[in-house]
Every structure is written in C-alpha cells, then in structure tokens.
C-alpha cells in the first residue's frame, strides 16, 4: 500500500457503509440499519472529507494510512498545525478515529497516548478560541434597512433581501436553514409566524424544531410582515420561500443556495461602510444572540430562539455583549476622577 495512489472508492472509508458492522452476525438487520442512521449524512460527508485529506497526506509522504501508526498520525497533525486551527485538527482526529472504529480495527492509532499528548501540545500552542464572523447587531440591521430604501435594484429583489435579513436575524437561522425554507414550513397567525425547521446542523436525530417570530410594533422591522409581503409580491404559494433571479429579474423555481445567503449579507454590510470580509451569513445568527444578550435577555430564552444545546456558545455571546459593561478600566477611572 505504501506510496500507491488510490481512487476514492478504495480508500478504506468505512463510515458510510460500515463493513464491520454489516458483517456482525449477532446483530439483526434492523439493528444494523439503526446504527448506520446514528450519524447524520452531512456528518458522514464531513468525516469523509477529513479522511480523504489524511489519505492524500499519507500518499504524498509515502506512508501507510490503513493501517497507520500513531507516529504517522502525530506527524500528520503537526503538519496540519502549520495552517489549521486547533479545533479543526481535533475534528480530523475524530474523523480518522471514527473510521478506524467503523472498520472494526483493533489497534486504533488515534487512541495512542502519543497522539493524545501531541494534540494537547498543539492546543496549548495554538489555543482553541475561534473568532468567527463579526455579528450584525440590531443597530447595523437598522442602518442596512434604511440604506436599502434608496438602493437602485428591482423592488422584487429588495423585498426578498429584506425578508432574508429580518427573518435570518430574528430567527437566528443558519444559512442552510434559510435556504431550505418552504411555504409548507410556515404557519402564520395573528400573533406572528411559526417556522418548522425539519432538520439542521445541530439536530442530528432529525426531530425538527419550531421557531416563533412574533409581530413587532415597528412594521419596518417586522420579520413576519416582511416575509408575508415578499411571498405575496412574488406570488409564491408553495415550494421554496427564498429563490434566485434570472438575468431579467424573473423568479427561479428552485431555492436560493446557502452561499447566496452569505453573499447577500456581505453586499449589504458593504452598503453601510463595513468590511464584507468580516461578515457572513452566520453574522445574522451571531448578531441576534449578541444583541439579545446586550438587552439582558435570559440565557435560556436566547437558547430557545437559537436552538443551541450547549450553554457554552451562548455564554460567549453574552460575554461579548458585556465586554464593555463593568469593565475594570471604567471602574478605575470613574473612581480616580470622581
């Protein structure tokens, strides 16, 4: 196997079909199928991408990747550390380890103390804090909506983009969730709007979630009204909610891509003089959580809207919102010059 370039279907990736599991005679077919469904398809895709990166590196270095030694794993992650974040490296280790487990490999090199110590050292060297995209705060959103009024684009595009920005912010949606919304997911009422999210990144078991958007007093910032206006104007009664346009501004039948959501965000932050490189689709979700924290919204209520399962990320948003509140520098100088 050394030094031999292999095609993708012979790269010993076992997580998608899991030969070791399927050859287990003690388990029923139904039990095997339930285990295969324990990981979401997008998770399997991410693991396969990570595994292929490891395979490519091993082929380049002319070392075996299946089986691999713990020394190979350590050398790989140290090369990876030249450009990747610590959390990315940890994810790659997880993918490689999961694939070895799926293959039924007795000696999983990722569980070696040598690998664990090397990973610990890399995390200390690089740190694990991830900045992420800059949040679009409520003040920024208000500036964007104001600037949109005079923008020389077709009204249909303006109405769609306004609905995307307001719904994305108020619902703290991920870009994939926004792109996959359908009319069938929506339930309008006198109180506002309920949006059913059939599946998402954090919903590994596919249980779905309902996001509630109430009406707000100011109609210009009412996400429910903006979405209803868009659907009525575009005569959309079924299928994808947010769609792209042809060169003649005609509406396409298919859904907008999640990458297009990010491009729309970048376009409008640039309109108000912000650096688009610092922003993306996640800026809407991040911005809602940070804005809610700055207004003193309780942690559990923020999590209910953002659908976070862990408090750690939400607390990062709260700390970010409060970094100028009770800042020790302010306290020092208030007392010094009182």
């Amino acid at each position: 196997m050394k030094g031999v370039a292999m095609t993708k279907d012979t790269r010993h990736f076992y997580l998608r079909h899991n030969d070791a599991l399927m050859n287990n005679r003690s388990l029923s077919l139904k039990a095997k199928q339930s285990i295969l469904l324990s990981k979401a398809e997008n998770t399997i895709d991410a693991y396969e991408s990570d595994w292929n990166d490891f395979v490519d590196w091993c082929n380049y270095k002319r070392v075996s990747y299946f089986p691999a030694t713990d020394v190979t794993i350590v050398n790989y992650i140290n090369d990876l550390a030249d450009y990747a974040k610590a959390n990315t490296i940890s994810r790659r280790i997880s993918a490689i380890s999961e694939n070895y487990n799926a293959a039924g490999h007795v000696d999983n090199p990722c569980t070696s103390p040598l690998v664990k110590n090397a990973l610990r050292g890399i995390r200390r060297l690089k740190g694990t804090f991830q900045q992420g995209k800059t949040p679009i705060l409520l003040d920024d959103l208000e500036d964007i909506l104001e600037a949109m009024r005079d923008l020389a684009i077709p009204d249909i595009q303006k109405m769609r983009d306004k609905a995307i920005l307001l719904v994305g912010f108020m619902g703290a949606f991920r870009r994939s969730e926004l792109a996959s919304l359908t009319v069938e997911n929506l339930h309008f009422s006198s109180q506002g709007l309920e949006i059913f999210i059939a599946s998402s990144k954090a919903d590994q078991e596919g249980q779905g979630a309902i996001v509630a958007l109430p009406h707000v007093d100011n109609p210009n910032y009412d996400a429910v009204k903006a979405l209803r206006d868009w659907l009525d104007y575009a005569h959309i009664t079924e299928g994808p909610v947010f769609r792209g346009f042809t060169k003649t501004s005609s509406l396409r039948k298919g859904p907008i891509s999640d990458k297009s959501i990010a491009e729309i965000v970048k376009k409008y932050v640039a309109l108000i003089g912000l650096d688009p490189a610092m922003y993306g689709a996640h800026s809407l979700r991040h911005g809602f959580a940070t804005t809610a924290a700055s207004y003193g919204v309780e942690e559990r209520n923020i999590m209910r809207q953002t659908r976070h399962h862990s408090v750690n990320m939400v607390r990062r948003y709260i700390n970010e919102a409060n970094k100028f509140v009770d800042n020790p520098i302010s306290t020092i100088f208030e007392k010094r010059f009182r």
Side-chain angles (χ1 to χ4, degrees), residues 12-137:
H12 293 277
F13 184 72
Y14 296 97
L15 277 166
R16 198 174 300 281
H17 304 292
N18 201 332
D19 292 345
L21 173 67
M22 298 309 293
N23 292 331
N24 189 328
R25 296 182 179 180
S26 300
L27 292 171
S28 67
L29 179 60
K30 188 175 182 180
K32 293 174 183 177
Q33 290 174 338
S34 65
I35 293 172
L36 286 173
L37 289 171
S38 65
K39 289 184 173 64
E41 189 65 25
N42 59 349
T43 300
I44 299 298
D45 290 342
Y47 278 169
E48 185 172 20
S49 176
D50 288 339
W51 174 258
N52 285 335
D53 185 82
F54 173 61
V55 170
D56 290 340
W57 180 90
C58 288
N59 283 337
Y60 178 77
K61 294 291 185 178
R62 296 183 176 274
V63 295
S64 172
Y65 56 82
F66 195 90
T69 66
D70 54 358
V71 172
T72 295
I73 301 292
V74 169
N75 287 335
Y76 168 66
I77 63 176
N78 273 280
D79 277 2
L80 194 61
D82 289 340
Y83 62 89
K85 295 178 180 179
N87 287 347
T88 301
I89 297 169
S90 295
R91 193 195 70 222
R92 291 275 169 86
I93 291 292
S94 295
I96 296 168
S97 181
E98 288 279 355
N99 193 49
Y100 271 104
N101 290 338
H105 207 277
V106 177
D107 298 318
N108 186 336
C110 298
T111 62
S112 163
L114 184 67
V115 174
K116 292 180 179 178
N117 288 333
L119 184 58
R120 189 177 296 115
I122 289 172
R123 291 177 75 88
R124 286 179 178 174
L125 177 66
K126 296 179 71 69
T128 58
F129 180 78
Q130 291 180 296
Q131 179 63 36
K133 291 298 183 182
T134 303
I136 293 176
L137 302 178

Side-chain angles (χ1 to χ4, degrees), residues 189-209:
S189 69
S190 59
Q191 292 179 301
L193 169 66
E194 292 181 17
I195 302 176
F196 176 67
I197 305 299
S199 63
S200 68
K201 176 183 176 182
D203 182 21
Q204 297 295 316
E205 297 180 3
Q207 294 180 346

Side-chain angles (χ1 to χ4, degrees), residues 180-191:
S180 62
L181 280 184
T182 66
V183 174
E184 292 74 15
N185 298 141
L186 310 179
H187 176 66
F188 290 92
S189 69
S190 59
Q191 292 179 301

Side-chain angles (χ1 to χ4, degrees), residues 160 163-164 167 178-179 181 227 230 240-244 254-256 261:
R160 183 204 63 179
I164 286 175
V167 172
L178 276 176
L181 280 184
L227 185 57
W230 155 246
V241 170
F242 297 121
R243 311 180 185 193
I256 195 172
I261 302 287

Side-chain angles (χ1 to χ4, degrees), residues 130-137 168-169 172-173 280-292 306 308 313 316-318 320-321:
Q130 291 180 296
Q131 179 63 36
K133 291 298 183 182
T134 303
I136 293 176
L137 302 178
F169 180 89
F173 286 109
H282 190 73
S283 296
L284 295 171
R285 177 173 167 81
H286 188 171
F288 171 83
T290 304
T291 298
T306 62
H308 278 109
M313 181 58 74
R316 272 182 55 184
Y317 294 144
I318 293 173
E320 181 175 349

